[in-house]
Amino acid sequence: MKVMAIKQDYYEVLGVSRNASVEEIKRAFRKLAFQCHPDRNKEPGAEEKFKEINEAYQVLSDPEKRSRYDRYGRVDVEGGFPDFGFGGLGDIFESFWDGFGTIFGGRTAQRVPQKGDSLQSHLTLSFKEAVFGCSKEVEIPRIEFCPSCHGTGSEPGTNPETCPNCRGIGQVRRVQQSIFGRYTSTTTCSRCGGSGTVISHPCPQCHGSGRIKVKRKIKVTIPAGVDEGYRLRLDGEGSAGVYGGPPGDLYVTFSVKPHDFFHRDGSDILYELPLNFAQAALGDEVKVPSLDGKVDLKIPPGTQNGKTFRCKGKGIPYIDGRGRGDLLVKVVITTPQHLDKNQRHLFEELSKVLPRAEPPQDT
């Protein structure tokens, strides 16, 4: 036993009032101990400061010693570290690590069902296949449950066993001692990888994984009206899920080959109709191609180059199946490049009676 002289006021050291309760003193000490402990604080003087805090707490946390200190200004103090109460710093660190473990997985294995990987494929369609729809097959490599063990990973006739390392929890909890006290950490079990089970007799087909890679042909029903870059999702045709999760999806994207004379504009079809001067000037009745065969189109007299006629409902089906777009026929008046003698004579006679087109004069 030794008699310790007062270096400074113990209440000031802990930052509490002289009528502070025992709980207030404990809270103040724990806070300062974290800040000033030499293993955490490498600043000069931290060790001496921690000793003062320790000394003050030894006195003020003991009712008899505190009473003696308040009366005489000094007290006999035993050396060494105090009993912090409630586990002291060890209790603080254990609470910290336990909370940390709870946030990041808790104390039991959480084998959350996970959806399988989604897959991608690509198809090239002809113009008409994209317009009217069709059925195609795609071949994809994907992960499926092993047909031999049905996904258990164990040889047929055997079952996975509870992991002896973590007793089926999937995590290992370690309690360690340090100068701060006792603290707990939780890590994934290294033997079972967090699954809580081990396979003593692996399936010879999948080697214990429970899943195999296969090539599978999938029938794709393509709706009418798809366009370049359209993406179709096939639910559940991706790779198998994990821990009972659903399979992923298959996404099929499309390219569309161009047509010889049709051009697509959304759900409308564009077609350029060549007409000669006589047809445009006098009018005519012609047959134009459409997706459904030939359709009749009346050309009124005096039709100008670039005039567009609309044929309702002769375009591309809407992707939702509610109707169709239109066929747009654009007139392109063609100028003959080679005239025979008679044709030339007729044009010369015509030019004599037609008004001459003149460009506007500059003002």
Side-chain angles (χ1 to χ4, degrees):
M1 182 178 294
K2 63 179 180 179
V3 177
M4 299 184 67
I6 302 176
K7 296 180 180 180
Q8 59 176 304
D9 189 295
Y10 287 152
Y11 292 100
E12 292 182 2
V13 171
L14 296 182
V16 297
S17 65
R18 302 193 76 85
N19 60 353
S21 66
V22 175
E23 285 301 318
E24 290 174 329
I25 291 171
K26 286 180 179 179
R27 286 197 298 269
F29 169 71
R30 289 177 177 176
K31 180 180 178 181
L32 293 171
F34 268 118
Q35 297 174 354
C36 301
H37 195 285
D39 286 351
R40 294 173 53 87
N41 192 332
K42 302 301 181 181
E43 296 181 2
E47 185 175 356
E48 290 299 320
K49 181 65 176 177
F50 183 77
K51 289 180 180 179
E52 290 180 3
I53 296 168
N54 177 25
E55 182 180 314
Y57 181 73
Q58 288 186 66
V59 173
L60 299 185
S61 62
D62 185 293
E64 184 179 345
K65 293 178 182 179
R66 181 179 179 180
S67 176
R68 196 178 307 159
Y69 169 73
D70 288 342
R71 182 178 301 178
Y72 301 111
R74 60 187 295 167
V75 66
D76 295 335
V77 181
E78 296 291 339
F81 286 92
D83 178 8
F84 296 143
F86 301 100
L89 285 177
D91 212 20
I92 296 172
F93 272 85
E94 182 171 359
S95 298
F96 173 77
W97 284 106
D98 282 354
F100 208 70
T102 301
I103 294 172
F104 295 97
R107 301 172 188 264
T108 59
Q110 299 293 326
R111 296 204 282 179
V112 179
Q114 300 175 26
K115 187 175 182 177
D117 292 336
S118 291
L119 305 176
Q120 302 278 348
S121 187
H122 183 269
L123 281 174
T124 299
L125 306 176
S126 70
F127 192 86
K128 283 197 171 182
E129 286 175 334
V131 168
F132 294 112
C134 59
S135 292
K136 295 277 189 178
E137 274 192 349
V138 294
E139 186 176 70
I140 57 168
R142 71 181 183 187
I143 302 298
E144 296 184 356
F145 290 120
C146 174
S148 179
C149 67
H150 304 290
T152 65
S154 292
E155 185 178 11
T158 66
N159 292 302
E161 301 172 356
T162 300
C163 176
N165 195 35
C166 64
R167 298 188 179 90
I169 296 176
Q171 295 177 328
V172 178
R173 190 168 180 244
R174 292 185 176 86
V175 179
Q176 299 180 358
Q177 195 75 27
S178 76
I179 192 169
F180 290 119
R182 185 167 56 93
Y183 69 90
T184 305
S185 63
T186 304
T187 59
T188 300
C189 177
S190 59
R191 182 164 182 179
C192 67
S195 67
T197 59
V198 292
I199 298 173
S200 301
H201 304 284
C203 171
Q205 185 170 351
C206 64
H207 307 290
S209 68
R211 291 149 47 107
I212 58 173
K213 190 172 184 178
V214 299
K215 284 188 176 181
R216 189 72 65 193
K217 287 186 176 181
I218 306 296
K219 184 178 180 181
V220 182
T221 300
I222 302 161
V226 300
D227 201 355
E228 180 83 20
Y230 183 83
R231 189 169 78 156
L232 181 67
R233 185 179 72 183
L234 279 68
D235 293 340
E237 293 293 355
S239 289
V242 181
Y243 300 140
D249 302 324
L250 172 62
Y251 291 90
V252 183
T253 56
F254 300 98
S255 295
V256 180
K257 295 178 181 178
H259 195 273
D260 291 340
F261 47 80
F262 287 135
H263 300 279
R264 182 169 181 171
D265 182 14
S267 294
D268 292 335
I269 292 290
L270 306 181
Y271 172 69
E272 292 186 347
L273 173 65
L275 294 178
N276 61 39
F277 289 125
Q279 288 174 300
L282 303 176
D284 199 0
E285 290 187 3
V286 297
K287 290 185 178 293
V288 297
S290 76
L291 297 173
D292 306 303
K294 299 286 186 178
V295 295
D296 294 325
L297 180 64
K298 186 175 182 178
I299 306 297
T303 296
Q304 300 297 306
N305 185 59
K307 171 70 176 179
T308 300
F309 298 93
R310 184 180 295 270
C311 301
K312 287 283 189 179
K314 294 297 183 179
I316 296 173
Y318 298 134
I319 197 74
D320 60 3
R322 299 179 181 180
R324 294 174 62 172
D326 301 330
L327 169 64
L328 305 179
V329 181
K330 180 181 178 181
V331 170
V332 178
I333 298 177
T334 61
T335 302
Q337 295 180 327
H338 304 286
L339 298 175
D340 60 27
K341 185 177 180 180
N342 185 52
Q343 291 171 335
R344 185 175 183 83
H345 172 72
L346 292 173
F347 270 105
E348 288 173 348
E349 291 298 317
L350 182 62
S351 67
K352 293 177 182 179
V353 298
L354 287 177
R356 186 178 181 86
E358 297 288 347
Q361 301 297 317
D362 295 335
T363 59

